[in-house]
Amino acid sequence: MKTILNTIKIDKKIFCSIFFIVLFTSYTEAQVSENAKSEISSKSPEKSSIPVFVNTGNQELDNKTYLEVKNAWIKANPEEYRKILNNKPIEVSKIEFDKMPNEKQNEIKNHPEKYILK
């Protein structure tokens, strides 16, 4: 080891620091992914609970983890997912609303649970 350090002329402290940074970084990324998944699971203790996004500071990893957990939840709970999609209100812009016939405008006004005017 001493000959390697002498050959590349790196101080032992610098070499060890770089080695541990590289080692710790690779371990931390894998651990963050597992921690995020377990945190999502702990926030969703029931099988049918909707997964939540966990921000660990690593946006790319957080998005990937959330997508994996969300897709698994959708596969495990297709009926609940369908209910969520069907209950989502339809957004209608003010410009679109003004162009609609009176009957449609009245339907939108009379059903605020189905429509949101923007």
Side-chain angles (χ1 to χ4, degrees):
M1 175 130 167
K2 202 171 197 176
T3 56
I4 293 171
L5 294 176
N6 287 339
T7 306
I8 55 176
K9 298 188 188 232
I10 296 179
D11 183 39
K12 234 193 274 188
K13 289 179 185 176
I14 294 172
F15 176 77
C16 290
S17 297
I18 293 170
F19 176 76
F20 285 112
I21 288 170
V22 169
L23 181 67
F24 180 74
T25 303
S26 63
Y27 170 77
T28 303
E29 187 169 306
Q31 193 62 32
V32 164
S33 177
E34 287 307 309
N35 288 346
K37 286 179 184 175
S38 65
E39 189 171 334
I40 288 170
S41 298
S42 70
K43 288 186 177 185
S44 306
E46 303 164 16
K47 181 184 174 196
S48 64
S49 294
I50 299 170
V52 294
F53 183 84
V54 177
N55 185 356
T56 64
N58 184 337
Q59 186 177 7
E60 185 177 324
L61 185 61
D62 294 345
N63 289 337
K64 180 182 173 194
T65 301
Y66 176 71
L67 189 59
E68 289 172 3
V69 173
K70 180 182 130 187
N71 287 335
W73 180 86
I74 291 170
K75 282 184 181 179
N77 303 282
E79 285 300 314
E80 192 167 344
Y81 183 64
R82 258 188 238 108
K83 286 179 189 175
I84 291 170
L85 291 179
N86 291 336
N87 288 335
K88 189 174 181 179
I90 299 168
E91 293 183 4
V92 180
S93 73
K94 180 72 172 136
I95 295 169
E96 288 177 83
F97 181 79
D98 291 339
K99 292 178 183 176
M100 293 178 177
N102 286 338
E103 302 139 9
K104 186 66 176 174
Q105 287 181 352
N106 289 334
E107 181 185 338
I108 292 172
K109 288 177 189 176
N110 294 330
H111 295 285
E113 74 282 358
K114 291 183 181 179
Y115 301 96
I116 297 176
L117 280 173
K118 293 260 177 177

